Amino acid sequence: MHHKGIVGITLATSVLLASLLTSTGSASVTTLLPSLTPALLLDIAQVDAPPAGVGLQVHADFPKRSPLLLDGLTIHSFTADLTPQGGVIVRNAVTSDNTGPDGVGECDDPTFVPTGVKWAAGTMPIGWKLNLGSTPQELDRPRTTLTMRSAHRIWPRAESRCNGADKISFSYDYLGRTEREAKYDKHNVVDFGKLGQGALAVNYTWYVGREIVEVDLRLNKGDYKWTNIGERYRYDVRNVVAHELGHQFGLDDLGNPHAGLTMYAVIGKGEINKASLGRGDLKGASALSP
């Protein structure tokens, strides 16, 4: 069943038929990426395979100017699961064919995409720690801590330029610093580090059944420069983290014509607009609230 503003996704293990139905009546179709093997997925994410019975959902975002080239497609982002059985299911891929500069206004666009896994009510608030020692040299560490904490307040506080309220019950609890890195260890961690194939950022969602059990987030410091002070030629930490946290709630990426929303896939240098939630972002977070 399709509801207004929700993007419907039909999955099969051998063929992905992701018919992206938007509230504007337009549609685009993504196809399975046959070259995205378990080994390549883990290389992009730079993590080990999860233990038996645990699934890993990887949301990988690539910069506007350096998309992933795979199976003849120019890919700005993808969402793929490494299933407990060891196979790969591609849930979504936003390509150059379904992105563009034009779109619906952020407060007029109700579209969102659920990924199929969500938090249980008893897991709130989501405790997380920051690996401050992984901060790249170009960033001031105290400011980075403040920026990360500020980004984690965007969704729970429904920070937006749009009128109207959507009930959101997500909440975060900052638990301080850690030396842990992104991997499956029952700790929710944000860090900077290495990612494969030029990925800008990756959100990791480990799940059992349909319930999320851990989320980590990594920003690529090996290939890209970051900023906490709005520098035009670097990637804005708060902007990118706001987008990645949408994945932690169970929201997937969007292509054209949804450029006004936080969950729009394309990310450019100096961009800061994703730190303000649009109508579809708010509705999605409300719908997925435990």
Side-chain angles (χ1 to χ4, degrees):
M1 179 180 296
H2 298 299
H3 301 277
K4 183 178 180 181
I6 302 179
V7 176
I9 301 179
T10 303
L11 292 172
T13 56
S14 58
V15 178
L16 178 69
L17 301 175
S19 179
L20 304 184
L21 304 177
T22 75
S23 59
T24 62
S26 63
S28 59
V29 177
T30 60
T31 56
L32 185 70
L33 302 173
S35 297
L36 190 59
T37 62
L40 179 57
L41 183 61
L42 292 173
D43 176 69
I44 291 171
Q46 292 289 296
V47 292
D48 295 328
V54 178
L56 168 61
Q57 189 171 97
V58 174
H59 303 266
D61 288 288
F62 298 85
K64 181 178 182 178
R65 295 184 179 275
S66 301
L68 174 69
L69 303 179
L70 189 67
D71 293 320
L73 296 173
T74 301
I75 300 169
H76 295 282
S77 77
F78 70 76
T79 301
D81 286 26
L82 184 59
T83 70
Q85 294 75 35
V88 171
I89 296 177
V90 179
R91 293 183 177 269
N92 190 19
V94 178
T95 73
S96 58
D97 293 332
N98 52 30
T99 63
D102 298 323
V104 184
E106 65 177 312
C107 295
D108 299 316
D109 188 350
T111 309
F112 63 92
V113 184
T115 61
V117 293
K118 62 182 295 184
W119 291 98
T123 56
M124 296 295 117
I126 304 167
W128 67 282
K129 291 185 177 183
L130 173 62
N131 186 330
L132 193 61
S134 68
T135 305
Q137 292 182 351
E138 68 265 21
L139 295 179
D140 175 77
R141 289 189 176 187
R143 185 182 292 273
T144 296
T145 300
L146 292 174
T147 299
M148 289 290 189
R149 297 185 68 177
S150 173
H152 279 77
R153 291 192 288 266
I154 290 172
W155 290 86
R157 293 184 179 180
E159 295 183 12
S160 174
R161 291 184 286 265
C162 305
N163 295 324
D166 292 278
K167 182 179 179 181
I168 298 174
S169 62
F170 290 112
S171 57
Y172 278 107
D173 186 9
Y174 175 59
L175 303 179
R177 297 171 55 174
T178 183
E179 294 182 357
R180 294 179 181 273
E181 300 178 344
K183 65 178 181 179
Y184 183 67
D185 58 4
K186 303 294 182 67
H187 293 267
N188 305 317
V189 172
V190 177
D191 73 0
F192 293 85
K194 180 180 179 182
L195 293 173
Q197 303 296 315
L200 177 69
V202 166
N203 185 78
Y204 312 78
T205 302
W206 285 273
Y207 60 91
V208 175
R210 294 177 65 86
E211 290 190 1
I212 297 172
V213 296
E214 181 187 338
V215 286
D216 289 342
L217 192 167
R218 170 166 287 179
L219 305 181
N220 184 344
K221 72 174 181 179
D223 298 317
Y224 307 108
K225 296 295 185 181
W226 296 88
T227 180
N228 288 321
I229 56 175
E231 294 167 284
R232 183 178 177 184
Y233 298 107
R234 294 182 177 182
Y235 292 96
D236 188 87
V237 172
R238 191 169 187 264
N239 183 76
V240 176
V241 170
H243 175 84
E244 298 304 324
L245 292 180
H247 294 317
Q248 291 194 1
F249 299 149
L251 293 176
D252 215 331
D253 281 330
L254 299 168
N256 192 51
H258 310 292
L261 299 180
T262 295
M263 297 315 298
Y264 182 61
V266 181
I267 302 173
K269 291 181 180 180
E271 177 188 280
I272 59 172
N273 63 292
K274 285 180 168 56
S276 175
L277 306 180
R279 177 58 55 211
D281 305 313
L282 295 167
K283 285 188 173 296
S286 177
L288 294 173
S289 288

